[in-house]
């Protein structure tokens, strides 16, 4: 049985509360949060953030809720999200953030399951009707608090943030958490079934921050962060919230999808995380301005190569980045290599909510492509010899699933967490993911298929934006794809030839039973709004397969190799 581990530290590490109080005292006038509004910013210093969080903590305590009550937070990323989260733990309560894209039925499920007695409602401005559609799912009697400056504040049932700031005194003695106190409940994005509430205590967060301080470059002067991935997800919570508190850095936000590129270029983050789909969009954006053949030519000319690389990095806003990460979903090796040619060294990180997203990361001084990096100090990993499942053990595992003891016992045994991922571990502690236990399926021929490994074969095709390999009841796999912008603009015959070339190059590398029989180009993209993608941009495989289930057999029997829905 393969095993990788490193010794844990003995001293009690600092909590997030400790970090904030340190910076509030030592650099009160330094800007902590920068909220873009058009071409300007609303800036919040450490002192101002502290004052607002303390006033809100006073208000939360005035509600008379029992100590350690669950308090919900539904908003896209913004300065008030982080201030509200601070207020929740300053007042001795538990933060329970939700995705801002939930509908009424979805928020009802998580609100009732979590038992939240108060809810912050904030930035939902991608859709003016979002709160109106969500609100009917909020249980009666919940205390509602509205962030300022956003459309939801027009609801008279929301107590205005600014009113609380004007009427509540700052809480002087903030709650000092004990290691075993519950810090947050993070609901998973629900790729399969209902979201599960992952309970994280203060000890776990402190241990994770302490053990990853060198890897996460906590000693970076004037650290800057760009917050746009959902803050209710463990990855953004780690890279932006926890690391900004540990470094005393500045957090910039994206104002909207339309201003994303401009906001990122202005922020010039030193620490940056993007999921693979974002990196793909960056790549397509670069190639739209400079086709691959032209880029290849420029990169061969020494002086011009340096100029082009710098211009691209500056255009993205990554010229000053010291840590560039990808995670939350598998990243194709070809995409990592493509950016590396531009001098953008993307470090793949691996983890899940249940282990705070901190299992392994690719070091820059010993890159081993194809793996998800080297196991962190303080994290133990072993591979189940029967199933190949990855098991993890550390001081920062979840306490369990909220109100789900049976489910908790099914994944936490003897201190080891069953991740649901299948993989291998080499003698140097490098981890490779080969699939998901639940995603593997048996074909009509009785052979097991790991779809993600087949999907990687389409990663270099610029006409493909999303892919889902399906066919549980078919003799051979069938690939459902959504075209990229480039694919939608291309001639139909060019798309078909390109996909046929991909199939012909991929299939000989696969076992006979894994070879892709058909490619179906589906009409509608898979999005968060149509429930075919999670808020962290991972496809909901089971939902997609259910949507197209009745058509799979007819498509499979179609004479064409490339089929248009």
């Amino acid at each position: 049985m393969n095993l990788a581990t490193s010794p844990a530290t003995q001293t009690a590490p600092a909590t997030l509360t400790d970090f904030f109080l340190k910076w509030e005292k030592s650099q009160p006038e330094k800007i902590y949060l920068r909220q873009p509004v058009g071409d300007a910013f609303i800036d919040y210093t450490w002192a101002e953030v502290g004052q607002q969080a303390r006033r809100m903590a006073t208000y939360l305590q005035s509600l008379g809720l029992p100590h350690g009550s669950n308090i919900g937070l539904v908003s896209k990323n913004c300065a008030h999200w982080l201030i509200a989260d601070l207020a929740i733990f300053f007042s001795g309560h538990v933060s329970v953030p939700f995705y801002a894209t939930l509908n009424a039925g979805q928020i009802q499920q998580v609100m009732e399951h979590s038992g939240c007695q108060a809810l912050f409602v904030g930035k939902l401005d991608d859709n003016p009707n979002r709160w109106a559609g969500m609100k009917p799912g909020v249980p009666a009697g919940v205390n509602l608090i509205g962030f300022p400056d956003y459309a939801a504040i027009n609801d008279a049932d929301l107590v205005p943030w600014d009113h609380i700031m004007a009427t509540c005194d700052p809480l002087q003695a903030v709650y000092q958490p004990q290691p075993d106190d519950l810090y947050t409940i993070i609901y998973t994005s629900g790729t399969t079934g209902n979201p599960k509430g992952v309970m994280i205590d203060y000890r776990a967060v402190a241990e994770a921050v302490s053990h990853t301080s060198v890897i996460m470059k906590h000693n970076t002067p004037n650290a800057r962060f760009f917050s746009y991935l959902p803050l209710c997800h463990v990855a953004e919570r780690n890279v932006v919230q926890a690391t900004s508190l540990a470094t005393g850095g500045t957090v910039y936000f994206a104002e909207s999808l339309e201003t994303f590129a401009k906001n990122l270029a202005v922020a010039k983050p030193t620490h940056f995380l993007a999921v693979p789909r974002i990196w793909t969009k960056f790549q397509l954006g670069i190639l739209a301005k400079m086709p691959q053949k032209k880029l290849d030519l420029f990169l061969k000319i020494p002086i011009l190569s340096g100029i082009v690389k710098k211009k691209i990095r500056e255009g993205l806003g990554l010229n000053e980045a010291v840590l560039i990460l990808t995670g939350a979903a598998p990243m194709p090796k070809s995409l990592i290599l493509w950016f590396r040619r531009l001098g953008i060294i993307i470090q793949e990180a691996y983890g899940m909510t249940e282990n705070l997203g901190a299992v392994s990361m690719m070091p820059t001084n010993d890159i081993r492509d194809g793996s998800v990096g080297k196991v962190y100090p303080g994290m133990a990993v072993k591979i189940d010899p029967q199933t190949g499942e990855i098991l993890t053990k550390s001081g920062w595992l979840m306490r369990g699933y909220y109100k789900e003891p049976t489910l908790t016992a099914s994944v936490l045994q003897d201190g080891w967490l069953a991740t649901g991922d299948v993989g291998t571990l080499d003698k140097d502690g490098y981890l490779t993911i080969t699939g998901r236990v639940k995603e593997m399926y048996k074909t009509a021929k009785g052979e097991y298929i790991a779809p993600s490994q087949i999907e990687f074969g389409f990663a270099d095709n610029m006409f493909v934006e999303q892919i889902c390999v399906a066919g549980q009841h078919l003799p051979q796999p069938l690939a459902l794809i959504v075209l990229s912008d480039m694919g939608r603009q291309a001639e139909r015959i060019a798309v078909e030839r390109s996909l046929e070339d991909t199939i012909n190059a991929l299939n000989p590398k696969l076992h006979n039973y894994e070879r892709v029989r058909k490619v179906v180009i589906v009409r509608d993209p898979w999005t968060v709004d149509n429930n075919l993608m999670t808020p962290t941009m991972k496809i909901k495989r089971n939902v997609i397969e259910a949507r197209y289930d009745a058509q799979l057999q007819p498509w499979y029997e179609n004479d064409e190799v490339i089929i248009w829905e």
Side-chain angles (χ1 to χ4, degrees):
M1 181 178 291
N2 290 336
L3 177 67
T5 185
S6 301
T9 56
Q10 300 300 314
T11 55
T15 67
L16 296 186
T17 301
D18 294 330
F19 282 122
F20 181 84
L21 296 177
K22 169 188 172 183
W23 303 120
E24 183 189 37
K25 182 177 180 181
S26 65
Q27 52 181 36
E29 300 309 312
K30 182 180 178 181
I31 294 172
Y32 176 31
L33 308 176
R34 304 205 76 192
Q35 182 69 49
V37 179
D39 293 325
F41 285 94
I42 300 174
D43 292 333
Y44 301 86
T45 65
W46 287 89
E48 289 166 341
V49 169
Q51 283 295 297
Q52 291 206 27
R54 289 166 185 271
R55 290 179 188 276
M56 184 57 68
T58 295
Y59 176 77
L60 293 177
Q61 288 193 346
S62 76
L63 298 177
L65 305 178
H67 175 77
S69 291
N70 295 338
I71 295 182
L73 202 170
V74 59
S75 173
K76 299 186 91 174
N77 300 18
C78 62
H80 290 92
W81 199 109
L82 291 180
I83 298 173
D85 206 47
L86 279 170
I88 292 169
F89 59 76
F90 277 3
S91 59
H93 295 307
V94 179
S95 163
V96 189
F98 305 122
Y99 287 100
T101 53
L102 300 182
N103 59 34
Q106 291 167 334
I107 198 165
Q108 180 178 2
Q109 192 272 324
V110 289
M111 283 289 290
E112 289 181 348
H113 186 268
S114 62
C116 286
Q117 299 180 60
L119 177 69
F120 286 95
V121 181
K123 186 181 181 185
L124 306 169
D125 56 354
D126 64 321
N127 182 344
N129 299 316
R130 178 77 70 182
W131 173 238
M134 188 186 299
K135 184 180 177 183
V138 177
V142 172
N143 297 279
L144 299 175
I145 305 161
F147 287 1
D149 306 323
Y150 302 115
I153 201 64
N154 295 326
D155 186 340
D157 291 335
L158 294 163
V159 177
W161 182 286
D162 289 341
H163 172 75
I164 294 170
M165 294 301 105
T167 57
C168 292
D169 293 328
L171 184 67
Q172 295 305 314
V174 303
Y175 179 72
Q176 292 289 347
Q178 299 302 303
D180 291 331
D181 285 346
L182 193 58
Y183 160 58
T184 189
I185 299 173
I186 301 177
Y187 277 87
T188 59
S189 53
T191 52
T192 57
N194 285 332
K196 300 182 290 290
V198 177
M199 296 186 289
I200 304 295
D201 55 36
Y202 280 90
R203 185 195 309 277
V205 177
E207 289 282 351
V209 170
S210 174
H211 281 86
T212 61
S213 61
V214 174
I215 296 168
M216 294 299 293
K217 301 185 183 299
H218 287 184
N219 61 348
T220 303
N222 297 313
R224 295 182 301 282
F225 304 83
F226 185 65
S227 183
Y228 69 100
L229 292 173
L231 268 165
C232 50
H233 187 273
V234 70
E236 190 82 348
R237 210 82 177 268
N238 286 346
V239 175
V240 171
Q241 185 183 37
T243 310
S244 69
L245 288 170
T247 60
T250 301
V251 179
Y252 291 70
F253 298 90
E255 184 177 15
S256 66
L257 185 62
E258 290 72 26
T259 65
F260 176 91
K262 179 182 76 172
N263 296 152
L264 175 58
V266 170
K268 298 182 178 65
T270 58
H271 297 63
F272 181 71
L273 165 70
V275 297
R277 191 156 181 256
I278 296 293
W279 288 114
T280 299
K281 285 187 175 295
F282 285 168
Q283 180 192 42
L284 293 174
I286 293 167
L287 292 177
K289 297 178 181 178
M290 187 180 297
Q292 189 68 57
K293 288 184 179 179
K294 186 176 181 181
L295 180 60
D296 289 340
L297 176 63
F298 285 173
L299 293 178
K300 291 177 181 177
I301 304 172
I303 295 178
L304 191 56
S305 174
I307 295 172
V308 169
K309 289 178 183 178
K310 184 179 180 183
K311 185 175 181 180
I312 289 173
R313 292 197 303 268
E314 287 179 340
L316 291 175
L318 299 179
N319 210 40
E320 298 180 26
V322 298
L323 186 69
I324 303 175
L325 300 172
T326 189
M331 177 88 155
K333 174 182 172 181
S334 58
L335 192 57
I336 290 178
L337 293 175
W338 191 88
F339 277 100
R340 196 179 300 161
R341 289 187 66 205
L342 301 177
I344 298 173
I345 311 302
I346 301 172
Q347 295 174 252
E348 190 160 11
Y350 165 71
M352 55 198 299
T353 310
E354 289 85 342
N355 50 36
L356 263 70
V359 175
S360 65
M361 185 191 292
M362 185 68 70
T364 56
N365 61 350
D366 189 5
I367 296 174
R368 303 191 188 181
D369 291 317
S371 77
V372 289
K374 195 169 186 177
V375 174
Y376 285 124
M379 170 61 70
V381 171
K382 66 181 181 181
I383 308 297
D384 186 294
Q386 274 75 47
T387 64
E389 185 173 9
I390 298 168
L391 310 176
T392 69
K393 187 176 187 178
S394 70
W396 55 87
L397 295 187
M398 69 170 181
R399 183 182 300 179
Y401 295 120
Y402 189 62
K403 294 182 179 178
E404 302 286 353
T406 303
L407 191 57
T408 299
S410 71
V411 298
L412 268 180
Q413 296 180 9
D414 300 323
W416 289 93
L417 172 72
T419 63
D421 290 314
V422 177
T424 60
L425 184 72
D426 71 15
K427 60 182 178 62
D428 298 320
Y430 282 76
L431 189 61
T432 300
I433 312 298
T434 58
R436 287 282 295 169
V437 174
K438 291 182 179 179
E439 286 183 356
M440 295 181 71
Y441 68 86
K442 187 183 289 187
T443 69
K445 297 177 181 179
E447 302 285 358
Y448 280 100
I449 299 289
S452 61
Q453 299 307 300
I454 302 173
E455 290 162 359
F456 270 179
F458 288 79
D460 290 336
N461 193 311
M462 296 299 174
F463 293 157
V464 178
E465 178 161 329
Q466 296 169 294
I467 180 169
C468 177
V469 167
Q472 186 165 346
H473 304 297
L474 302 176
Q476 300 282 141
L478 178 152
L480 306 172
I481 73 160
V482 173
L483 293 178
S484 65
D485 288 339
M486 189 179 295
R488 286 191 291 272
Q489 294 169 11
E491 295 288 337
R492 183 167 176 150
I493 188 65
V495 171
E496 292 179 352
R497 286 175 179 170
S498 175
L499 291 172
E500 287 176 354
D501 288 344
T502 297
I503 294 172
N504 292 335
L506 171 64
N507 277 346
K509 302 174 186 177
L510 302 173
H511 295 295
N512 286 336
Y513 58 84
E514 294 177 311
R515 291 176 179 173
V516 177
R517 175 73 175 268
K518 307 280 181 181
V519 171
V520 179
I521 301 168
V522 300
R523 187 180 300 108
D524 299 324
W526 305 329
T527 67
V528 175
D529 285 337
N530 64 20
N531 196 39
L532 297 177
M533 190 171 66
T534 73
T536 53
M537 300 185 186
K538 290 183 282 190
I539 63 169
K540 291 187 174 183
R541 191 179 300 277
N542 61 330
V543 181
I544 291 171
E545 290 176 353
R547 173 169 177 161
Y548 300 105
D549 183 64
Q551 298 162 273
L552 294 182
Q553 188 70 41
W555 282 334
Y556 188 83
E557 295 171 354
N558 192 302
D559 291 336
E560 302 295 328
V561 175
I562 311 299
I563 300 166
W564 298 74
E565 186 185 14

